[in-house]
């Protein structure tokens, strides 16, 4: 994600970070190597979500399990914008916005509190021709989901740039697997380069949209506009909207087991600071022309253990509890952190709201320039 916020956050830090990376040993540099390569990642436990919090870690319908602050000297580490949690949360797959995979095994408690990331590996995503994505406009990979048949599940990857969706086999044996590129609505190509497809979520079998792809743009025409989303495939393809609430951008989405859709949102500006929000959308009303308001599950500011939260994944733990995992994009700046946070959703009731037809997009008309005298 190449945003103004990055410039504001990093400033001269970018030059320092580049200098440090250049001084690393060859094995820890960004030199291109084929397939998965081992990567040393340090893990620091996070036991409280709010910096001044007590051990009572219930935040509305979410209970904080714990988290990790991850770091590495490897030049490929960081910038993670998409996340999958597999095998009751013990395995993770993430992607960076420079087209790199991260996979590893989480040491965790029986409920899923993360303790340490083990066996981390990284590889470069390849396009359908076997080229490194970083050499193409698809390198800004942002969202992950799992879809396809039960026999041949696949990883769905959304990317910015010109906007698009790719798929890979879920079983990444070597890291040299090639992408398949999906057909998407033509208007997605016209989205702003850095405000395009932040998220992708494949509807589960119990959803009215079973198997359809939901993809959401980070922002509308501006912060003043509702956020556009598309249903690709399935019985009800089309475009719907997520109502603007404050100056938040949509950064990821994931389905709950009950069929509702969660969206992760991020706030950053100099006047309001840094923020994160999770909203739950009515899964039965995911249909064209609907304007979703949703139910806010969690809002957090800089007084909590958050950073630039961009990735969201949902899984069930060994006790049948719904676990949310969130990951941050550190923009490869030493001023920011790569965080992995986990919550249990203690209220699993579906959210329902009436159908509200989305208004037509209003054009932003710039103020007339004064005539010279």
């Amino acid at each position: 994600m190449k945003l103004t916020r990055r410039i504001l956050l990093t400033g001269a830090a970018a030059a320092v970070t580049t200098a440090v990376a250049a001084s690393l040993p060859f094995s820890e540099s960004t030199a291109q190597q084929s397939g998965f390569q081992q990567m040393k990642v340090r893990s620091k436990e996070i036991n409280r979500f709010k910096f001044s919090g007590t051990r009572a870690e219930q935040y509305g319908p979410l209970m904080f399990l714990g988290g990790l602050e991850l770091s590495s000297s490897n030049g490929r580490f960081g910038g993670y914008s998409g996340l999958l949690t597999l095998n009751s949360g013990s395995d993770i797959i993430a992607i960076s916005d420079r087209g790199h995979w991260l996979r590893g095994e989480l040491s965790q408690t029986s409920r899923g509190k993360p303790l340490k990331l083990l066996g981390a590996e990284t590889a470069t995503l390849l396009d359908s021709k076997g080229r490194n994505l970083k050499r193409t406009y698809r390198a800004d990979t942002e969202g992950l989901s799992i879809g396809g048949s039960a026999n041949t599940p696949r990883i769905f990857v959304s990317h910015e740039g010109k906007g698009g969706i790719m798929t890979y086999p879920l079983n990444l044996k070597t890291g040299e697997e090639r992408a398949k590129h999906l057909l998407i609505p033509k208007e997605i190509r016209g989205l702003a380069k850095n405000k395009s497809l932040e998220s992708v979520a494949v509807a589960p079998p119990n959803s009215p949209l079973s198997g359809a792809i939901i993809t959401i743009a980070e922002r509308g025409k501006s912060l003043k506009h509702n956020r556009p989303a598309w249903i690709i495939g399935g019985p009800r393809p089309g475009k719907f909207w997520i109502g603007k609430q404050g100056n938040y951008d949509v950064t990821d989405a994931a389905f709950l087991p009950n069929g509702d859709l969660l969206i992760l949102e991020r706030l950053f500006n100099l006047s309001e600071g840094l923020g994160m929000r999770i909203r739950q959308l009515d899964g039965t009303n995911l249909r064209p022309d609907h304007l979703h308001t949703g139910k806010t599950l969690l809002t957090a500011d800089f007084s909590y253990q958050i950073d630039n939260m961009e990735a969201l994944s949902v899984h069930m733990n060994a006790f049948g509890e719904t676990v949310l995992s969130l990951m941050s994009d550190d923009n490869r700046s030493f001023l920011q952190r790569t965080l992995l946070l986990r919550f249990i959703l203690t209220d699993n009731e579906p959210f329902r709201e009436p159908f509200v037809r989305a208004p037509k997009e209003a054009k932003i008309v710039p103020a007339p320039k004064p005539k010279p005298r």
Side-chain angles (χ1 to χ4, degrees):
M1 174 90 38
K2 303 166 184 65
L3 297 173
T4 303
R5 60 178 168 80
R6 172 175 293 173
I7 300 173
L8 294 172
L9 282 169
T10 59
V16 177
T17 304
T18 302
V20 172
S23 67
L24 295 174
F26 180 80
S27 61
E28 295 289 332
S29 74
T30 55
Q32 293 301 313
Q33 296 172 305
S34 61
F36 279 109
Q37 308 292 326
Q38 291 184 349
M39 178 167 60
K40 293 181 180 179
V41 176
R42 295 176 291 276
S43 303
K44 178 182 177 183
E45 285 190 47
I46 297 172
N47 294 310
R48 288 188 174 94
F49 182 47
K50 190 172 177 65
F51 283 108
S52 59
T54 64
R55 287 293 179 184
E57 288 293 327
Q58 189 74 35
Y59 299 90
L62 295 176
M63 184 186 74
F64 183 61
L65 268 179
L68 296 175
E69 180 179 341
L70 304 174
S71 59
S72 175
S73 61
N74 191 301
R76 292 185 180 183
F77 182 84
Y80 297 113
S81 302
L83 176 67
L84 293 177
T85 48
L86 309 167
N87 299 325
S88 298
S90 63
D91 295 325
I92 68 167
I93 299 175
I95 50 167
S96 77
D97 55 14
R98 292 189 181 180
H100 291 139
W101 296 108
L102 166 70
R103 71 177 182 184
E105 180 181 350
L106 275 179
S107 170
Q108 60 180 17
T109 66
S110 57
R111 293 187 84 181
K113 176 185 177 181
L115 303 175
K116 190 174 184 179
L117 180 63
L118 305 171
E121 295 179 309
T122 184
T124 302
L125 279 77
L126 304 180
D127 68 6
S128 60
K129 297 180 179 179
R131 297 175 298 180
N132 290 344
L133 281 193
K134 68 177 299 182
R135 299 176 183 174
T136 74
Y137 64 83
R138 300 183 177 96
D140 194 355
T141 46
E142 295 286 348
L144 287 181
S145 187
I146 298 175
S149 69
N151 294 329
T152 56
R154 296 186 67 83
I155 300 174
F156 287 65
V157 181
S158 64
H159 64 81
E160 290 194 305
K162 293 182 180 179
I165 299 172
M166 308 171 290
T167 75
Y168 295 84
L170 178 59
N171 184 11
L172 295 169
K173 294 181 179 179
T174 65
E176 296 182 301
E177 291 79 4
R178 297 186 180 189
K180 291 184 178 179
H181 304 291
L182 302 185
L183 293 175
I184 60 173
K186 188 175 181 180
E187 66 174 322
I188 291 178
R189 303 288 187 187
L191 293 172
K193 181 178 179 182
N194 293 323
K195 304 295 178 187
S196 185
L197 299 186
E198 276 287 312
S199 58
V200 60
V202 180
N206 64 326
S207 166
L209 298 176
S210 177
I213 302 167
I214 305 293
T215 188
I216 307 171
E218 177 180 356
R219 188 180 294 183
K221 289 183 178 180
S222 75
L223 275 174
K224 298 180 180 180
H225 287 73
N226 295 319
R227 286 35 175 162
W230 290 264
I231 304 167
I232 303 173
R236 298 188 296 194
K239 185 178 183 181
F240 66 91
W241 301 86
I242 298 170
K244 169 195 176 300
Q245 290 187 353
N247 295 318
Y248 284 83
D249 291 320
V250 178
T251 58
D252 210 351
F255 276 96
L256 288 172
N258 65 18
D260 281 0
L261 184 68
L262 294 184
I263 59 169
L264 175 65
E265 298 174 284
R266 183 230 17 258
L267 170 74
F268 181 80
N269 59 61
L270 291 180
S271 61
E272 297 175 281
L274 181 67
M276 175 197 82
R277 184 170 65 197
I278 301 174
R279 277 195 276 174
Q280 181 176 345
L281 307 186
D282 181 353
T284 65
N285 252 332
L286 293 172
R287 51 175 165 155
D289 298 323
H290 181 39
L291 176 63
H292 285 268
T293 299
K295 176 177 71 174
T296 298
L297 302 184
L298 177 67
T299 302
D301 58 23
F302 211 58
S303 65
Y304 295 81
Q305 292 269 15
I306 67 169
D307 204 278
N308 173 34
M309 309 310 296
E310 290 214 6
L312 170 67
S313 182
V314 175
H315 70 270
M316 304 291 285
N317 68 13
F319 299 96
E321 297 171 310
T322 302
V323 180
L324 279 55
S325 299
L326 285 70
M327 200 167 186
S328 67
D329 172 1
D330 68 351
N331 291 310
R332 296 175 179 80
S333 165
F334 66 81
L335 298 177
Q336 294 179 254
R337 299 183 295 166
T338 297
L339 303 178
L340 177 66
L341 307 176
R342 276 199 171 160
F343 299 83
I344 290 178
L345 180 63
T346 56
D347 178 4
N348 287 284
E349 289 298 316
F351 171 71
R352 296 294 175 257
E353 65 180 4
F355 176 78
V356 177
R357 187 170 297 277
K360 292 184 179 180
E361 292 183 82
K363 293 184 178 180
I364 299 178
V365 180
K369 295 180 180 179
K371 295 181 180 180
R373 296 181 178 179

